[in-house]
């Protein structure tokens, strides 16, 4: 099974793509600030999930990478807050993206709490 089949990865990827599209609407002066940060953090969620899954034979590494994914997801939420506060993101759209991010967080936590369902040996 590929990490691409993981529901958490798919949802995180979808969110990262929505964030990327959103960042295209930010003013050019935000290109190296808010745009860069929000794109980086949202993509890092996907990356960390993929890394966790590929290293699942090492339970501590699996958990550590999922913790990284969760942290990056929280950072993405922070940047969404800034985008809304700067009036680059309508509240209605922010609520949708926030909800998607919260769903990703729940899926990451499910993976952390149920490592055996993802091929992680928990008897080590």
């Amino acid at each position: 099974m590929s990490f691409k089949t993981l529901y958490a990865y798919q949802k995180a990827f979808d969110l990262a793509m929505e964030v990327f599209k959103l960042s295209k609407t930010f003013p050019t002066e935000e290109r190296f600030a808010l745009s860069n940060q929000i794109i980086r953090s949202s993509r890092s969620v996907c990356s960390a999930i993929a890394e966790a899954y590929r290293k699942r034979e090492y339970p501590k590494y699996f958990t550590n990478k999922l913790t990284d994914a969760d942290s990056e997801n929280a950072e993405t939420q922070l940047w969404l807050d800034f985008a809304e506060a700067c009036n680059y993101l309508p509240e209605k759209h922010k609520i949708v993206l926030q909800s998607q991010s919260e769903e990703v967080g729940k899926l990451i936590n499910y993976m952390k709490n149920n490592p055996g369902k993802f091929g992680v040996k928990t008897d080590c």
Side-chain angles (χ1 to χ4, degrees):
M1 188 164 108
S2 166
F3 66 86
K4 292 180 181 181
T5 64
L6 297 171
Y7 195 54
Y9 172 84
Q10 293 168 2
K11 288 296 193 175
F13 188 88
D14 290 345
L15 177 60
M17 291 306 298
E18 285 298 318
V19 164
F20 174 73
K21 291 174 192 170
L22 166 68
S23 73
K24 296 286 189 186
T25 68
F26 294 169
T28 55
E29 65 265 17
E30 289 289 5
R31 184 177 306 137
F32 299 108
L34 182 57
S35 294
N36 186 44
Q37 291 293 334
I38 197 168
I39 290 169
R40 185 201 54 75
S41 66
S42 65
R43 288 179 177 173
S44 290
V45 176
C46 302
S47 174
I49 291 169
E51 287 182 57
Y53 187 72
R54 295 304 298 162
K55 293 285 190 164
R56 63 193 181 278
E57 66 267 20
Y58 306 104
K60 289 181 182 179
Y61 190 89
F62 178 81
T63 301
N64 185 51
K65 292 313 290 182
L66 289 176
T67 299
D68 290 348
D70 195 40
S71 295
E72 293 293 341
N73 191 47
E75 184 178 338
T76 299
Q77 291 177 11
L78 166 76
W79 297 124
L80 290 171
D81 290 342
F82 275 110
E84 181 189 24
C86 293
N87 296 314
Y88 305 149
L89 177 62
E91 181 183 8
K92 215 169 28 173
H93 196 177
K94 194 253 184 174
I95 290 169
V96 170
L97 295 173
Q98 181 77 26
S99 177
Q100 287 178 274
S101 181
E102 288 171 3
E103 181 182 11
V104 168
K106 289 175 185 176
L107 292 167
I108 290 168
N109 282 321
Y110 179 82
M111 290 178 72
K112 283 172 47 179
N113 292 331
N114 299 280
K117 293 187 178 192
F118 300 93
V120 178
K121 294 181 182 174
T122 57
D123 57 346
C124 295

